Amino acid sequence: MKRGAWLLLALLMLALSACSGGGRAESGIELELVVDGLTKPLFVTHAGDQSDRLFVLEQPGRVRLIEGGELLDEPFVDLTDRVLSKGNEQGLLGLAFDPDYETNGIFYLHYTGSEGETVIARFRRDGQDPRKADPASQQVILTIEQPFANHNGGPVLFGPDGYLYVALGDGGSAGDPGNRAQNKESLLGKILRIDVRSVQTYAVPASNPFVGKDGRDEIWAYGLRNPWRISFDRQTGDLWIADVGQNRVEEVNFQPASGKGGENYGWKVFEGSQVYSQGEAPGAVFPVAEYTHASGGCSITGGYVYRGKAIPALIGTYLYADYCKGEIWGLSREGDAWKVSALLETDANITSFGEDQQGELYVVDQKGSIFRVRAAE
């Protein structure tokens, strides 16, 4: 949706957001504890290998395994010897399994290196034990210098097209002092789209929007401050982007599967639908939902469109939350309008949602727990 005739819809969504507190909504969902005892968990996912195992990122540098509802003592992989995790936004930040992981055992991690740089690296599963990975198998495919310790982004995931998408923050500090998010010669403040499956490091898909034009060829979308969790709808292929705001506005952006990339999400000229600073943001695209810090939130956590079977009423709804407030919302489309619904109030510091192979959803609490989203009893 282009910035322009959007103001009325934006005001409506802000009103919905402002009145979303005050007890649990009649949403019919609740959280069920799966495991606890984790150290700063940031993400949970599956490997697509029919094993029903869940893989949990711990920020200091470990990937833990949940099998049969139990947290295994031995990590899947331990990279604490090479991961810098001194700041709140540094550490082991993202995990993506190759679409053919079941046969090739390849996966990718996004972490903060010893000098504070972003590292995207390829790893392999242990040849003898599927519950272990080989830390010595690391192949670094991309490093990016980070000028500050915050706004590292984090998500890495494979799209329906088989390419790896990497979401990166604007480089940190406050207010994007280097104007990196709008600078298409910088990889910061962007979503990258790269081919990692046919080469040792990576190649650039010829269909990327800035190939042959001004701007880095790796860029798929730009104008982002600190995208904290992006996801593809497993049914439609639509891309959802939750972008953390500066001081006022948290936002959800939507890119339809039919999109060709090149979207500019407006930061730092715009924070959500509101003007943040002077400057130019050509063709800037408004979020489809937003809320302000006046409602008690401080940092958005993006989730997934629910495509499981356990909660039929939730099918097709995008879930997202706020880290500080602990509230979970649902976002759905009715015709040309977007509807925000308050789903659940929690006391969790929600750092991520997760999805298992069946499409059921999970919530990650930074205090050390993983919960399953289920129908309320």
Side-chain angles (χ1 to χ4, degrees):
M1 186 180 296
K2 296 291 184 183
R3 299 186 192 267
W6 198 88
L7 181 58
L8 183 59
L9 182 56
L11 292 172
L12 174 62
M13 289 189 295
L14 285 170
L16 285 167
S17 301
C19 60
S20 62
R24 197 177 77 183
E26 295 298 326
S27 62
I29 68 167
E30 62 185 14
L31 300 184
E32 175 189 15
L33 180 66
V34 178
V35 299
D36 56 13
L38 292 153
T39 302
K40 294 185 177 179
L42 289 187
F43 185 52
V44 61
T45 190
H46 67 94
D49 61 354
Q50 315 303 319
S51 70
D52 287 332
R53 298 186 188 99
L54 292 175
F55 297 75
V56 183
L57 291 188
E58 290 185 322
Q59 190 172 358
R62 290 174 293 269
V63 181
R64 304 290 300 278
L65 273 176
I66 300 172
E67 187 171 47
E70 300 290 334
L71 179 65
L72 303 188
D73 291 334
E74 188 170 354
F76 177 64
V77 66
D78 186 339
L79 302 180
T80 52
D81 62 341
R82 69 196 76 172
V83 171
L84 179 66
S85 186
K86 291 182 178 179
N88 290 335
E89 299 180 33
Q90 295 176 319
L92 183 56
L93 304 175
L95 165 65
F97 289 92
D98 187 283
D100 294 323
Y101 174 80
E102 186 173 5
T103 55
N104 67 22
I106 294 173
F107 63 98
Y108 295 82
L109 292 174
H110 171 182
Y111 67 86
T112 307
S114 60
E115 300 299 320
E117 76 278 15
T118 285
V119 179
I120 309 297
R122 178 189 293 117
F123 292 84
R124 293 184 180 273
R125 181 181 59 213
D126 184 278
Q128 303 300 318
D129 187 347
R131 295 173 181 82
K132 295 181 181 179
D134 179 7
S137 67
Q138 173 174 281
Q139 294 175 288
V140 174
I141 65 169
L142 178 64
T143 59
I144 302 168
E145 183 180 349
Q146 290 284 352
F148 300 97
N150 58 336
H151 301 184
N152 291 288
V156 288
L157 71 166
F158 282 93
D161 51 17
Y163 296 127
L164 186 68
Y165 289 72
V166 180
L168 298 168
D170 64 10
S173 187
D176 192 7
N179 197 32
R180 295 177 176 88
Q182 287 297 314
N183 178 5
K184 295 196 293 291
E185 296 301 328
S186 169
L187 296 181
L188 299 174
K190 314 295 190 298
I191 294 176
L192 314 182
R193 179 183 185 244
I194 55 178
D195 180 3
V196 295
R197 305 185 71 206
S198 60
V199 292
Q200 283 294 103
T201 53
Y202 71 89
V204 173
S207 55
N208 273 13
F210 298 108
V211 172
K213 302 177 182 178
D214 291 340
R216 292 286 297 268
D217 292 349
E218 297 95 331
I219 296 171
W220 178 253
Y222 68 111
L224 294 160
R225 182 179 176 274
N226 192 29
W228 188 246
R229 299 309 168 200
I230 68 175
S231 66
F232 287 96
D233 184 332
R234 59 163 58 193
Q235 179 173 307
T236 66
D238 298 329
L239 176 61
W240 295 82
I241 306 162
D243 198 18
V244 177
Q246 180 66 51
N247 298 312
R248 295 177 295 175
V249 185
E250 308 295 314
E251 64 183 87
V252 177
N253 295 293
F254 172 80
Q255 185 184 111
S258 59
K260 304 300 182 183
E263 285 86 351
N264 178 4
Y265 291 106
W267 175 253
K268 68 173 181 176
V269 177
F270 295 95
E271 182 185 6
S273 64
Q274 301 182 22
V275 173
Y276 177 81
S277 67
Q278 297 299 312
E280 296 183 359
V285 179
F286 259 152
V288 295
E290 61 182 14
Y291 62 94
T292 71
H293 292 192
S295 65
C298 75
S299 181
I300 194 169
T301 298
Y304 293 81
V305 175
Y306 180 73
R307 296 296 180 187
K309 296 181 179 179
I311 317 172
L314 209 59
I315 293 173
T317 301
Y318 174 75
L319 273 65
Y320 63 103
D322 186 87
Y323 171 80
C324 294
K325 193 175 183 181
E327 185 161 6
I328 299 174
W329 294 278
L331 177 60
S332 57
R333 196 169 191 171
E334 297 182 358
D336 292 331
W338 294 92
K339 178 183 177 183
V340 177
S341 301
L343 297 181
L344 192 65
E345 289 188 355
T346 79
D347 60 0
N349 292 129
I350 299 174
T351 53
S352 186
F353 290 79
E355 192 177 38
D356 66 20
Q357 195 158 356
Q358 291 73 42
E360 300 302 329
L361 296 187
Y362 297 78
V363 167
V364 181
D365 181 355
Q366 192 186 36
K367 294 191 288 285
S369 302
I370 306 294
F371 297 89
R372 181 183 294 109
V373 180
R374 70 178 187 184
E377 296 181 349

